[in-house]
Amino acid sequence: MSLSSEQLKKHCEVILQSRRIKNKIVVLCEGVTPKIQGRESPQSYKAMEQMPDANFYKACVPTWWRQKLPEFFNCGDRKDVIDTYFTLLTLHKQDSTNSYLDCDRLFAMIDLDLQLQKIDNYIFTDTEAIFCNLYEKSEVQEQNIAQHRIWITGLIHKEAYFLTPELQSLFDDYPNSPIYQENLASLTNIYSDMADGISNDRDLQNNLQRAFDRINHCSGLDCTQLDLDKFQDSWKHQFQNTTDPTQKHELIVALLTIKKAKDYWHQIKPAGDFSRDERVFREQLSLEIGRFYSQQTSHVKSHIPFFFKALHELV
């Protein structure tokens, strides 16, 4: 449920008045915001930047970035993040004396998703336009990044970055070995299950042309016909039969660009004794994944590290 106009304003006022953002880059991201009830004190927001979504991106900050680290704030769903971005700018303009925000250092990171989200009064009219300008063939278009203040994930959701192929060794070595469907978590098995779910994915069916437009550069995939069954068969055939690691990686990235990963990520559980909730285990694992990204080079194929490289250039 999106924030009401009153909640949105209060949410933004607390961010603007936080001394923590002074002379800092501010990144708005998706995630549950603290509940706002009546005249509740702004102190209820004190953990706003410490919730799971914000915590993941905070963990991704490169290890070489040591001073003036960005501040991250959860802002609700994708629409809420966009609304928060523009409301912050408006409120700051109305009364800059009551704000610690540097508008040139305000950014947002939102999920790509399958549905289109329109954006008013912005250089890009909707989320797909941002994606098409920011990425090409799953790589960041470095020459275009200066235009973007609202960034979008190159994969379908933040959770898709929890399941990228290079993380298999992290899963293998992680304490309380992650379990997926009663076996040690194998990303290859997860990809196969995701592929098996393609033909029955109503959300994908309803947004098929948009999905295929994102990945039609991938060799061997049948994106010429709006037929999920044929696409599913072509993906599985290529994935099972290719011996080329580059092509296999391309297929996985294509899958993670159009097939929602959240349900599969939520099936990952701890092995053995774990006294806390499974959700806590996944949150801890996601932070370890964030630390993995914090150590990666900022190549155009590495979306999250490249995002932080772009941010750092503004410090």
Side-chain angles (χ1 to χ4, degrees), residues 7-55:
Q7 290 172 328
L8 177 63
K9 184 179 180 182
K10 179 179 285 190
H11 179 72
C12 291
E13 286 174 344
V14 173
I15 295 175
L16 291 173
Q17 295 164 17
S18 171
R19 290 180 179 271
R20 297 187 62 169
I21 72 172
K22 186 177 181 179
N23 298 322
K24 297 278 195 72
I25 288 172
V26 173
V27 181
L28 312 175
C29 55
E30 295 185 46
V32 178
T33 59
K35 292 181 179 179
I36 307 170
Q37 296 178 348
R39 299 170 60 87
E40 190 171 357
S41 166
Q43 269 70 32
S44 64
Y45 282 83
K46 65 182 179 180
M48 180 161 53
E49 71 277 20
Q50 298 174 347
M51 294 182 179
D53 294 67
N55 254 353

Side-chain angles (χ1 to χ4, degrees), residues 173-187:
D173 298 337
Y174 192 73
N176 293 99
S177 304
I179 298 296
Y180 174 78
Q181 295 187 352
E182 301 183 359
N183 294 304
L184 292 176
S186 163
L187 292 174

Side-chain angles (χ1 to χ4, degrees), residues 21-297:
I21 72 172
K22 186 177 181 179
N23 298 322
K24 297 278 195 72
I25 288 172
V26 173
V27 181
L28 312 175
C29 55
E30 295 185 46
V32 178
T33 59
K35 292 181 179 179
I36 307 170
Q37 296 178 348
R39 299 170 60 87
E40 190 171 357
S41 166
Q43 269 70 32
S44 64
Y45 282 83
K46 65 182 179 180
M48 180 161 53
E49 71 277 20
Q50 298 174 347
M51 294 182 179
D53 294 67
N55 254 353
F56 168 69
Y57 285 118
K58 187 173 184 178
C60 292
V61 174
T63 54
W64 47 258
W65 192 338
R66 301 185 183 277
Q67 296 181 331
K68 293 186 177 180
L69 301 182
E71 295 292 333
F72 300 86
F73 293 92
N74 285 353
C75 298
D77 62 21
R78 186 169 61 165
K79 182 180 183 301
D80 287 330
V81 175
I82 294 170
D83 289 345
T84 301
Y85 174 85
F86 289 108
T87 303
L88 285 171
L89 295 177
T90 299
L91 292 177
H92 176 87
K93 185 177 180 180
Q94 290 173 353
D95 184 10
S96 60
T97 61
N98 200 31
S99 167
Y100 289 101
L101 180 68
D102 180 344
C103 294
D104 291 332
R105 295 184 177 186
L106 177 63
F107 290 83
M109 173 62 85
I110 56 177
D111 285 346
L112 175 59
D113 218 325
L114 285 170
Q115 298 84 6
L116 195 71
Q117 176 66 57
K118 293 188 178 299
I119 308 175
D120 296 327
N121 302 316
Y122 187 58
I123 187 174
F124 300 101
T125 57
D126 55 55
T127 48
E128 202 67 20
I130 296 176
F131 173 78
C132 292
N133 184 267
L134 193 54
Y135 301 94
E136 183 176 9
K137 297 181 179 179
S138 300
E139 296 182 358
V140 180
Q141 298 193 74
E142 185 170 5
Q143 71 276 13
N144 292 344
I145 61 174
Q147 304 178 64
H148 294 272
R149 288 297 181 269
I150 300 175
W151 279 59
I152 198 163
T153 57
L155 303 181
I156 193 163
H157 287 143
K158 175 186 84 278
E159 286 80 2
Y161 291 100
F162 300 168
L163 300 175
T164 55
E166 59 269 24
L167 295 174
Q168 185 62 64
S169 59
L170 185 153
F171 279 57
D172 292 342
D173 298 337
Y174 192 73
N176 293 99
S177 304
I179 298 296
Y180 174 78
Q181 295 187 352
E182 301 183 359
N183 294 304
L184 292 176
S186 163
L187 292 174
T188 297
N189 290 343
I190 293 175
Y191 303 144
S192 295
D193 286 350
M194 291 176 70
D196 286 339
I198 286 175
S199 61
N200 296 320
D201 190 324
R202 185 181 298 274
D203 203 14
L204 190 52
Q205 182 69 63
N206 292 339
N207 298 277
L208 196 51
Q209 184 64 66
R210 183 177 300 125
F212 281 3
D213 286 346
R214 295 174 184 172
I215 62 171
N216 59 16
H217 61 277
C218 297
S219 58
L221 291 182
D222 187 354
C223 297
T224 59
Q225 305 177 60
L226 295 182
D227 188 320
L228 268 184
D229 290 329
K230 290 183 178 179
F231 172 79
Q232 176 178 275
D233 291 344
S234 68
W235 191 95
K236 293 173 68 173
H237 176 79
Q238 293 292 327
F239 189 71
Q240 292 166 2
N241 291 283
T242 184
T243 58
D244 181 353
T246 300
Q247 185 181 12
K248 179 157 284 192
H249 188 274
E250 185 181 64
L251 289 165
I252 294 168
V253 171
L255 182 69
L256 293 174
T257 304
I258 66 170
K259 177 62 178 164
K260 294 185 177 182
K262 286 184 180 180
D263 289 345
Y264 303 91
W265 166 251
H266 289 161
Q267 293 181 55
I268 292 177
K269 304 176 182 180
D273 295 330
F274 188 78
S275 58
R276 304 179 70 183
D277 189 274
E278 293 172 359
R279 177 180 55 82
V280 175
F281 174 78
R282 286 190 294 274
E283 289 173 4
Q284 293 174 347
L285 178 56
S286 73
L287 294 182
E288 193 62 31
I289 292 170
R291 285 186 278 273
F292 169 86
Y293 285 119
S294 75
Q295 300 169 20
Q296 306 306 303
T297 57

